[in-house]
Amino acid sequence: MMKHKHVLQYINQHFKVKLILSLSIIITICSLVTGYMSYQMNLNLFESEISKQYLKTSEQTIEQIGFKIQDIYRITDFVIFNPYVEQIVQNMHVKPAPGESVEYRNFMLERNLANVLQPLKNETTHIRAVYIVDLQGHNMYFSQENPSIQLQFPDFYERVKQGMSHSSAEIAWQRMNISDFYEPSGEKSSLVAARWLKSTEQQTVYGMLILIIDEQYFGSALDPLMAGQTAGAYIYDKYDRLLYSREPAGSPGFEPAPDKGPGSFIEHLDGNDYLFVKSEYEPRSFTLVSGISLADIKAKGRTVYHLALAFGLVSIVLMAVSVSFFSGKMLQPLQALVRAMRRVREGNLRTTIPSTSNDEFAFLADSFNKMVADIQSLIQEVYVSKLSEQEAELKALQAQLNPHFLHNALNSIYWKIMLLYDDEETAALVTSLSDLLRYSLAPVSTLSTLRDELAQIRNYIRIQEARHGDELHVSIDAPEELLSCRMQRLLLQPLVENVFVHAFLDQTASKRLAIRVSRQEADMLVEIEDNGNGISAETIHRLLDDRTLYDERGERERLGVRNVLRRIYLVHGASYGLEIRRLPQGTLVRVTLPCETDRMEERGTANDAHSAG
């Protein structure tokens, strides 16, 4: 059991082995299907071709048998239509002349009949005996080539008569066992051809002509059909009576049903299939049925099937060798990718994969290199962010200043200025600074709205107006229905602060700042426009392209813009963001945010009430 688990584990861990096994299964299935289809196709083809050839041979054979049958008709016609034969047979029943004995008269008539029938003996050697009998079955004449034939009349006449029609002038063919003391069994199967003798004038039957013919008379014509794995050949008369059969040596044969139509058909016996063909000799309605075994054909088909399986096994071996040989080069990029991923898992983030091709493996290599670079960037971001937090915390600890203490101190200054100096302008600045400080020190997760953001921007601008004087002109335009749109805290303040830090750095007069809020379908647009020093295209590209918070040159002023870009991207996705455009005089910053107002107004009111308390 453990051994099987190790084998399965080995297969699962090696792509090459799984590839070889998969291809082996596919090739095996294809070989089985192809072999079986080839076997069936060849079997059908062989059966069709052999059926055609065998049927053609059968038709030629039945034609030869037909010629032999016609010879028998010609011979019997010579006897039947010979008036002298009729006269001799009729005289045998007439009273002899005075002074002439019956025996002498019959002897002379039989001798004359023998002279008339003498040519029949030279017609064919397969006619073993010829008999002429009267209607009572008395033998009027006989000629025997073989004296071993012993027939008893009128008993034999009655046997022959049972298989004949009383009115037909055709030859009645029968297969009978004739007594023959030369045979070990005492009998020999022979063909009996009988025909009624009729007078030419009155057309009355006066006797019967009986021919005993050796079976080989038909058998010699069947030699072409008996070559090969034959199941036998069978000849039937028009009444479907078996006249002659010939089976292969050492086999009992297989006699099919004679009622099949002309053509070929399949018969089954003892698990074997036999192809039989049936041919007819139409002039005399004789039928020849012969069969051949399909065992050799199926054996050839199985040979094709086995060859297909053998080729399949050879293909599997060649495939395994080819995969093992070529996979070293083909899968080399994949192995390099696996090694690189292992090094990354061990902590080596400086791993890269060289791209050596233009296929899918090159895409994987480029994707892996980009992934490692992104991981390094994210780690660096998190690391720098952590350092920034630690730096802020260190400064806070060094200052030893509690935000609440600072807020309370500013409130004390405010009341002192108002009570002692009655300076409302300075007191308003202190209030703005105090509100701005309180808003900035709230947790980042605290919900805010556009109304709150603009309120803090006004506090910040109030402080800047005290610094810049009448040279500063600020306008804020925001529709009332957009003031409830929620947004992140301190998202607009860094952008406004950059105007005073950079745009108005060297400008002494006519400083104009405009903040406009508008709706664009389901989004909110916030535009911050100034008439300051402007910004270069290179700086715009660097600000918008670099999404990290890492400030390698210590330019902290750019950290605010990156912070805004990063926060919008993380919260709202790539569909929203920041656009910076250089104007002929100044800069335009456009912020695109979703306008969401669900339950934000109530929350903002609740926060204001809590702060007031």
Side-chain angles (χ1 to χ4, degrees):
M1 187 65 180
M2 294 298 295
K3 185 177 181 180
H4 293 302
K5 289 184 178 179
H6 288 306
V7 171
L8 293 176
Q9 185 178 5
Y10 178 80
I11 293 175
N12 290 328
Q13 291 178 350
H14 292 80
F15 174 77
K16 184 192 300 184
V17 178
K18 290 190 287 186
L19 179 61
I20 292 176
L21 290 178
S22 301
L23 294 178
S24 299
I25 294 174
I26 295 174
I27 293 176
T28 302
I29 295 176
C30 292
S31 300
L32 291 174
V33 174
T34 304
Y36 180 76
M37 294 179 63
S38 300
Y39 167 71
Q40 291 295 332
M41 292 175 61
N42 283 278
L43 184 61
N44 295 334
L45 180 61
F46 290 156
E47 288 182 0
S48 176
E49 291 299 324
I50 289 180
S51 176
K52 293 178 181 178
Q53 296 176 5
Y54 201 62
L55 181 59
K56 184 177 181 180
T57 304
S58 177
E59 291 174 349
Q60 294 174 352
T61 302
I62 195 64
E63 287 294 330
Q64 296 179 8
I65 294 174
F67 293 152
K68 294 179 179 292
I69 294 172
Q70 290 298 113
D71 285 341
I72 299 300
Y73 269 92
R74 181 177 54 80
I75 293 172
T76 58
D77 286 344
F78 173 77
V79 176
I80 291 175
F81 296 108
N82 191 321
Y84 193 57
V85 172
E86 178 184 354
Q87 181 181 355
I88 293 175
V89 174
Q90 293 288 3
N91 289 335
M92 288 184 181
H93 294 281
V94 179
K95 292 181 179 181
E100 184 181 23
S101 64
V102 176
E103 290 77 9
Y104 176 77
R105 192 274 312 275
N106 290 343
F107 171 77
M108 294 302 295
L109 291 175
E110 290 179 3
R111 188 179 66 177
N112 293 334
L113 187 59
N115 292 332
V116 174
L117 300 180
Q118 182 65 34
L120 293 179
K121 296 182 179 181
N122 300 325
E123 287 292 336
T124 174
T125 59
H126 290 92
I127 299 178
R128 301 177 63 194
V130 179
Y131 298 94
I132 295 178
V133 296
D134 59 11
L135 295 178
Q136 286 72 39
H138 299 116
N139 186 10
M140 312 299 295
Y141 169 83
F142 72 94
S143 174
Q144 296 178 342
E145 295 292 333
N146 192 343
S148 62
I149 297 177
Q150 301 293 329
L151 297 178
Q152 300 295 328
F153 288 92
D155 294 339
F156 183 72
Y157 166 74
E158 294 297 331
R159 289 175 57 190
V160 175
K161 184 179 177 181
Q162 292 177 0
M164 295 183 63
S165 173
H166 293 286
S167 60
S168 175
E170 298 289 329
I171 296 177
W173 295 84
Q174 300 180 62
R175 187 181 190 184
M176 292 185 177
N177 291 325
I178 305 299
S179 299
D180 191 336
F181 59 79
Y182 282 173
E183 295 294 324
S185 62
E187 294 180 338
K188 182 177 182 180
S189 179
S190 302
L191 295 174
V192 177
R195 194 173 183 184
W196 293 111
L197 296 175
K198 293 184 179 182
S199 62
T200 56
E201 294 181 0
Q202 292 82 12
Q203 290 295 310
T204 58
V205 178
Y206 64 87
M208 180 186 294
L209 174 64
I210 300 175
L211 303 180
I212 298 178
I213 306 173
D214 194 330
E215 285 187 334
Q216 290 302 317
Y217 183 66
F218 287 159
S220 60
L222 300 177
D223 291 339
L225 290 177
M226 298 303 295
Q229 298 290 330
T230 58
Y234 306 88
I235 300 175
Y236 300 89
D237 64 2
K238 64 179 181 180
Y239 302 110
D240 289 336
R241 294 180 299 190
L242 181 63
L243 297 181
Y244 178 75
S245 63
R246 183 176 175 182
E247 289 84 11
S251 173
F254 174 32
E255 180 181 353
D259 56 351
K260 300 286 187 179
S264 60
F265 55 92
I266 303 294
E267 293 283 355
H268 304 276
L269 178 66
D270 298 333
N272 295 323
D273 293 334
Y274 295 88
L275 173 67
F276 282 89
V277 294
K278 182 178 180 181
S279 303
E280 294 183 354
Y281 180 66
E282 295 182 358
R284 300 299 175 183
S285 299
F286 270 65
T287 302
L288 172 62
V289 179
S290 58
I292 185 172
S293 175
L294 297 179
D296 291 343
I297 299 177
K298 290 188 175 182
K300 294 178 180 179
R302 284 192 292 269
T303 301
V304 175
Y305 185 54
H306 294 156
L307 286 175
L309 293 180
F311 287 140
L313 294 177
V314 173
S315 300
I316 291 175
V317 174
L318 294 177
M319 178 273 302
V321 174
S322 300
V323 170
S324 300
F325 180 76
F326 291 107
S327 62
K329 294 183 178 180
M330 295 176 62
L331 299 180
Q332 186 174 2
L334 182 60
Q335 294 173 355
L337 178 60
V338 172
R339 290 193 297 268
M341 294 182 70
R342 287 176 179 173
R343 289 196 297 268
V344 171
R345 187 170 63 179
E346 293 172 356
N348 185 5
L349 296 179
R350 297 185 180 274
T351 301
T352 57
I353 301 177
S355 180
T356 58
S357 62
N358 295 322
D359 53 10
E360 289 82 356
F361 288 112
F363 175 76
L364 290 177
D366 295 339
S367 300
F368 176 82
N369 294 335
K370 186 177 184 306
M371 179 192 70
V372 173
D374 291 342
I375 292 175
Q376 286 181 320
S377 177
L378 289 174
I379 291 176
Q380 196 173 35
E381 274 192 39
V382 173
Y383 179 71
V384 172
S385 176
K386 190 67 175 179
L387 289 180
S388 300
E389 291 179 1
Q390 292 177 353
E391 180 182 358
E393 183 179 358
L394 179 60
K395 290 182 178 180
L397 291 175
Q398 290 175 349
Q400 293 292 317
L401 184 63
N402 189 301
H404 294 287
F405 170 77
L406 181 59
H407 178 65
N408 294 332
L410 290 174
N411 284 335
S412 299
I413 295 173
Y414 168 78
W415 288 110
K416 186 174 182 179
I417 293 175
M418 287 294 295
L419 294 175
L420 295 181
Y421 301 101
D422 193 20
D423 188 353
E424 294 183 2
E425 183 178 354
T426 304
L429 292 177
V430 173
T431 301
S432 299
L433 179 60
S434 176
D435 292 341
L436 185 60
L437 179 62
R438 183 187 62 182
Y439 184 79
S440 62
L441 292 177
V444 178
S445 60
T446 304
L447 296 176
S448 182
T449 63
L450 177 63
R451 179 184 287 105
D452 297 334
E453 280 289 301
L454 294 179
Q456 300 311 314
I457 289 176
R458 290 188 179 94
N459 289 329
Y460 179 78
I461 291 175
R462 191 175 294 115
I463 297 174
Q464 293 295 337
E465 286 176 343
R467 174 186 173 188
H468 294 276
D470 295 335
E471 300 296 329
L472 178 62
H473 302 278
V474 179
S475 64
I476 299 177
D477 183 12
E480 181 67 25
E481 65 270 13
L482 299 180
L483 295 178
S484 298
C485 294
R486 63 180 178 180
M487 60 188 306
Q488 302 175 59
R489 302 177 69 84
L490 295 176
L491 198 63
L492 302 179
Q493 193 274 340
L495 303 178
V496 176
E497 183 180 352
N498 278 343
V499 174
F500 293 94
V501 174
H502 299 285
F504 297 157
L505 179 61
D506 299 326
Q507 190 171 347
T508 58
S510 185
K511 304 172 184 178
R512 297 186 180 274
L513 172 63
I515 301 175
R516 297 182 296 271
V517 182
S518 62
R519 176 187 289 273
Q520 185 178 19
E521 295 180 354
D523 299 333
M524 177 176 63
L525 299 181
V526 180
E527 295 181 339
I528 302 174
E529 181 180 352
D530 65 78
N531 63 341
N533 298 325
I535 186 172
S536 64
E538 180 183 358
T539 304
I540 294 175
H541 176 73
R542 187 166 61 251
L543 287 173
L544 298 180
D545 184 64
D546 192 356
R547 297 293 182 92
T548 67
L549 296 177
Y550 180 61
D551 189 13
E552 60 182 1
R553 291 186 297 178
E555 297 179 0
R556 304 295 295 181
E557 60 274 8
R558 293 198 314 189
L559 188 61
V561 177
R562 294 181 185 175
N563 183 277
V564 172
L565 283 170
R566 187 68 176 172
R567 290 167 64 192
I568 294 176
Y569 176 76
L570 292 176
V571 175
H572 303 294
S575 300
Y576 300 92
L578 187 66
E579 178 186 357
I580 303 176
R581 182 184 303 174
R582 181 175 181 178
L583 301 177
Q585 178 64 39
T587 306
L588 173 63
V589 178
R590 180 180 290 116
V591 182
T592 305
L593 297 171
C595 184
E596 300 175 353
T597 61
D598 50 317
R599 298 190 63 184
M600 282 302 304
E601 192 169 357
E602 293 91 354
R603 294 179 181 177
T605 304
N607 290 336
D608 292 341
H610 178 71
S611 300

